[in-house]
Amino acid sequence: MAHILSAVAWPYANGPRHIGHVAGFGVPSDVFSRYMRMAGHDVLMVSGSDEHGTPILIAADEAGVTPQELADRNHRLIVEDFVALGLAYDLYTRTTTRNHHAVVQELFRGVHANGYVVEQTTMGAISPSTGRTLPDRYIEGTCPICGAEGARGDQCDTCGNQLDPQDLVDPRSKINGETPRFVETQHFLLDLPALAEALSAWLDEREATGLWRPNVIRFSQNILEEIRPRAITRDIDWGIAIPLEGWRENPTKKLYVWFDAVVGYLSASIEWARRIGDPERWRDWWNDPEALSYYFMGKDNITFHSQIWPAELLAYAGRGDKGGEPGTYGELNLPTEVVSSEFLTMEGRKFSSSKKVVIYVRDMLARYQADAFRFFVASAGPENQDSDFTWSEFVRRTNDELVAGWGNLVNRTASLVHKNFGEIPPLGGLEPADAALLERVEGAFDVVGGLIARNRMRQAVGEAMRAVSDVNRYVSDTEPWKLKGEDQRERLGTVLHVTAQCVGDLNVVLSPFLPSSANAVDVALGGAGDVQPMPRIEEVEDLDGGASYPIITGEYSDATPWRRRPLVPGTPVGKPVPVFTKLDAAVVEEELARLEGAGEG
RNA sequence: GGCGGGGUAGCUCAGUAGGUCAGAGCGCACGACUCAUAAUCGUGAGGUCGCGGGUUCGAUCCCCGCCCCCGCUACCA
C-alpha cells in the first residue's frame, strides 16, 4: 500500500467550465484515483477553484459585482458540475480561503528566506484609472511593423511578429479603451536559473522511470534551456498579499496568481487534514519520500507543473544553487509524474467561450448521462494527441458501444436470471468453455488495472470492452434460452451463474469509468449498489474565520477491492430496468443546430 | 520563426529495434439467432499505411526533401 496524491488541476473560476476542461484532467484523474483506492492504496485527491488574477477582475467588472462575488458564483457552479460528473475528490476547495492564503505566504517566506526571490524594477503597463497591471494581451493598437490595426501587445496576428506593447502605435486597453501608462514598477522574481540544475536533475531522474508521456518530458527539458527569472508579483488589488514588511500593506501589490494556484495542492491537503481533525496527516503524502504524487492537467499547464511548482518546492527546501533550509513544512515531495493531456476540440474547432464554440459541462449533464460522457472521454479523449468531440461520434459511442455492448449484456443477463430462477443460481460442474471464460474475465482485473495505473485510459477501456464482447459471445454460444428441460436445469443454472459472475466482475472493472451506473448494474444483479462511492457537496465554515463556502468531499475509504467477488447463490434478482439510455439519432442535428444558433447569436 | 505532436480501411484510432505488419472497434453487406434497450453471434467487402527521392535482398516502420493539420512558444490563466 502506498500513499498516493492525486493532484488535479485547479479550474479557473472566471466562468463555468466546458467539457474540454473535464476531458483533460477531470475524468482521467477520477478514474485513476478510484482505481488506486480499489487497488488498496491510500489516495488523497485534492483540487479547487483558482480564483485570483486579472481575468476574474475583468469578468467581475463586466458583471458589475465584486471579484469575490464572481468567484463565489462560479466556484459553486463548478462544484455542482463536478459532483454531477461524479468526481470523487477528498477535498475540492478554493484559493480564497484563509488557509490557502496562509500556506501560500509561508511558501513565499521560505523561498524568500532561502534567497530564491530577487527584486527587480521593470517597465510595465498599467491601467491609469485602476492602477492595475495591464497584461500584454489586454493591450491592442496599430502594428509598428506592418501597420495592421488590432495588433495585440504581445504579437501581431496579421504579420505574425512578436511585439513589445510599448512599440504599438496608439496603444489602448482592450478592457476600457483608455491609453495604458508604461511605468517603472518593483517586482519580485523567482530565481529560476538558480534552481535550473536541481530541476534538471529531477527531470532526468523522472525520465529514467520511463513513465512520463514523451511529449511532456521533452517539453519540460526543453523549456529548461532558456530559463529566466520569472515575476511572481503583479500590480493588482485582487490576490494574496506579499508577506514582507513594506509590501504586505500595499493594496495594489499581490502575488502572481500562478505562484499561488500551484500551492493549492499543498494547501488543500493541509485543509483536508485540518477538517478531518488530524492536522498533521497531510505529511503522509508530502514529507514521506515513499509517497507518490500524480499531477493531472491540460498541456497548456505543463510549464507550471514541471517547472514553476517544482522550482517553488526546491527553493522552499533550499535545494538550489543558493542552498538554504526547509521551512516549517519540511522537505516537500516533488511530482512523481506530470500527467498532461492534450486538447479536446469541438466539431473540428478549438473550444472558445467567446466564439460560442463550446459545450458547458452543465448543459452536457442536463441532457445526457454523466457516465455516457465519461465513457466517451475515457475511450476517445485527448490522451496522447488532440482529439475531436463530435456529436455524431458521441451518439455512436454511446449507442453502439456502451448501450449495445455493455448495457445490453447486463440487461440480457439479469433478464435471463430473473425469468429462469429469480435469484442467482448455484454453480454446477464446469465445462471447458465455462472455465475458460471465468479465467479470461478474471484476467481483465490485472490487464485493465495495469493500464489505468499507467494512465492509459483509452486502452484500458478497450480491453474491458473486449472482455464484454467475449461474455456476449459466450452467451450466444451456450444459448441458455434453449436449455428448457428439467434435465437441463442444472446446466442452465451453471451457464447463468458463470455469465452473471463475469458481468459482476466486469462491472467492477468498468466502475472507475462508470461509477454511478456501476452501482445501478450492481443492483440489477441483486447487489446493494455500493460498488462506487459518490462525492457530495458540503457547505463549510472557513477554518480561520473567513466566509463559508461549498466544498466537494466524500467517504471513500472502504473501496470495493479490485478483484473478483464470488456471487452468492440465492441472491434475489428482479426484472431489470435498462441502466443506460439509448440516444435518438436526432440528437446530432439538434445539438449542431444549437451550436449554430449560439454562434450566430 | 523556434519546439513538439500528428497524417494508416467510410469513421475513431492501434501497430512495427525494417521481413505472416497491413490490424481493432464502429459503420456497411450477407447469413444465424431471438434471452436482451431491433440488442447479440458468424462471414465478408474496403486501404498503393500524406507525397517524392534514398539506404536495403526487403520500408508503413530508417535517412533526406516537400505538402497538410494541431498544440506550445505571453506580464492570459
Side-chain angles (χ1 to χ4, degrees), chain A residues 507-570:
Chain A
N507 190 40
V508 174
V509 167
L510 283 166
S511 70
F513 302 100
L514 312 169
S516 57
S517 37
N519 293 335
V521 169
D522 191 53
V523 168
L525 290 178
D530 56 359
V531 173
Q532 284 288 352
M534 300 305 283
R536 63 170 191 277
I537 300 174
E538 206 169 289
E539 300 289 333
V540 298
E541 295 300 316
D542 185 278
L543 291 167
D544 306 292
S548 62
Y549 54 95
I551 60 170
I552 302 175
T553 186
E555 178 46 61
Y556 317 117
S557 56
D558 55 350
T560 300
W562 188 257
R563 56 177 155 75
R564 167 167 288 162
R565 300 179 300 167
L567 291 180
V568 179

Side-chain angles (χ1 to χ4, degrees), chain A residues 196-264:
Chain A
E197 204 174 309
L199 281 169
S200 179
W202 166 69
L203 282 173
D204 288 348
E205 174 204 310
R206 292 294 91 207
E207 184 183 20
T209 65
L211 291 172
W212 284 34
R213 292 175 184 168
N215 54 336
V216 180
I217 193 79
R218 218 166 303 159
F219 177 81
S220 304
Q221 288 166 327
N222 209 344
I223 54 178
L224 215 46
E225 286 173 17
E226 292 179 24
I227 202 163
R228 286 178 305 180
R230 186 160 179 149
I232 52 173
T233 52
R234 290 287 186 279
D235 292 301
I236 189 173
D237 51 6
W238 174 242
I240 297 178
I242 299 155
L244 292 176
E245 204 62 35
W247 292 78
R248 190 186 288 106
E249 300 73 19
N250 186 336
T252 64
K253 287 282 186 194
K254 301 290 180 188
L255 288 169
Y256 173 41
V257 58
W258 257 110
F259 183 90
D260 108 54
V262 288
V263 178

Side-chain angles (χ1 to χ4, degrees), chain A residues 188-202:
Chain A
F188 283 121
L189 285 75
L190 183 60
D191 192 356
L192 289 167
L195 297 154
E197 204 174 309
L199 281 169
S200 179
W202 166 69

Side-chain angles (χ1 to χ4, degrees), chain A residues 31 35 38 406 441-449 452 460-461 463-465 467-468 502-514 518 531-532 560-564:
Chain A
V31 171
Y35 163 72
M38 296 171 86
W406 173 234
V441 168
E442 191 167 20
F445 282 100
D446 280 351
V447 174
V448 176
I452 296 176
V461 175
E463 286 299 332
M465 291 306 284
V468 166
C502 290
V503 171
D505 293 342
L506 292 177
N507 190 40
V508 174
V509 167
L510 283 166
S511 70
F513 302 100
L514 312 169
V531 173
Q532 284 288 352
T560 300
W562 188 257
R563 56 177 155 75
R564 167 167 288 162

Side-chain angles (χ1 to χ4, degrees), chain A residues 52 75 107 149 194 237 264 334 344 377 390 409:
Chain A
H52 296 125
H75 171 66
L107 251 287
E149 289 294 321
D237 51 6
L334 269 61
L344 189 71
V377 170
T390 64
L409 175 62

